[in-house]
Amino acid sequence: MVHPHARTVAVLSAVFALAGCGRDGLLPEETAAVCPEPSGYVAPPAVPADSLFVLLHEPVLTAEQQGFLSSIRSQPTTARIQLARLAEGVEAILEADRPVALNVSSTRSFVAVKTDAGRRDAGVFAWHGSISGEYGTATLVLTGKGMNGVLQSLPADAPSSVYAIQPIGGGVQAIVCVDVTKVPPRD
């Protein structure tokens, strides 16, 4: 029997093995197919939720952050990148028994409900949840460097999407829409 989270773990492993993600270089029609977004902002389901991310638009990046971002863009698995900061008190938000909002872009947000969470090691907090209103999961790991994670959405009436989250330094997170058709096969 395949573990229910095996695909999520495989995608997350492949994504981080490829330095996290890739480029913003897809054609618009390719990006829309890989990272479906509504034409206007669509609020997540009417469930009270605390947002984990503060989206950044045109942030000033250090040379180190630009290097990380360039590495992310160079990967064939990256369809689109959104930069963000973690919300203030993000660990307390994750520890609470309330849904969390995962705004992955200015037009796309998911609400996730915690199914498991806890401190794994000193300075490492892991969180796993299901996407509200559709089939999907989110796995997040918070460390002193930021957050790593993956969100997989498998709605019944739209294309599936995968987002990888990784820190690029200075409190900035890269939220990457992953083109899973370009993830190399596992040996």
Side-chain angles (χ1 to χ4, degrees):
M1 183 173 124
V2 176
H3 189 276
H5 303 298
R7 177 146 171 79
T8 300
V9 171
V11 169
L12 182 60
S13 298
V15 167
F16 291 132
L18 291 169
C21 9
R23 60 186 165 76
D24 286 313
L26 292 178
L27 297 173
E29 61 275 8
E30 291 173 317
T31 301
V34 172
C35 307
E37 300 252 344
S39 58
Y41 179 74
V42 175
V47 176
D50 294 315
S51 183
L52 294 184
F53 305 114
V54 176
L55 300 181
L56 301 175
H57 305 284
E58 301 182 34
V60 176
L61 301 176
T62 66
E64 182 181 30
Q65 291 169 322
Q66 289 173 357
F68 278 121
L69 196 55
S70 178
S71 174
I72 291 168
R73 283 192 175 114
S74 71
Q75 300 302 314
T77 56
T78 297
R80 183 174 41 238
I81 301 171
Q82 171 68 58
L83 297 180
R85 290 200 179 278
L86 294 176
E88 191 171 319
V90 70
E91 187 169 345
I93 292 170
L94 290 171
E95 287 178 332
D97 287 327
R98 290 179 39 88
V100 297
L102 299 158
N103 47 332
V104 297
S105 75
S106 60
T107 60
R108 189 79 166 113
S109 185
F110 299 90
V111 172
V113 178
K114 177 173 63 174
T115 57
D116 185 34
R119 188 155 305 286
R120 301 298 188 235
D121 292 314
V124 178
F125 184 82
W127 186 96
H128 184 78
S130 59
I131 304 300
S132 181
E134 61 186 81
Y135 182 75
T137 61
T139 302
L140 309 169
V141 178
L142 184 64
T143 69
K145 294 182 178 182
M147 182 179 289
N148 287 292
V150 67
L151 181 152
Q152 184 176 25
S153 167
L154 302 164
D157 59 348
S160 64
S161 52
V162 174
Y163 295 86
I165 302 154
Q166 80 176 78
I168 64 166
V172 178
Q173 303 292 134
I175 303 171
V176 182
C177 181
V178 178
D179 184 347
V180 294
T181 66
K182 296 185 179 168
V183 173
R186 293 186 66 171
D187 294 331

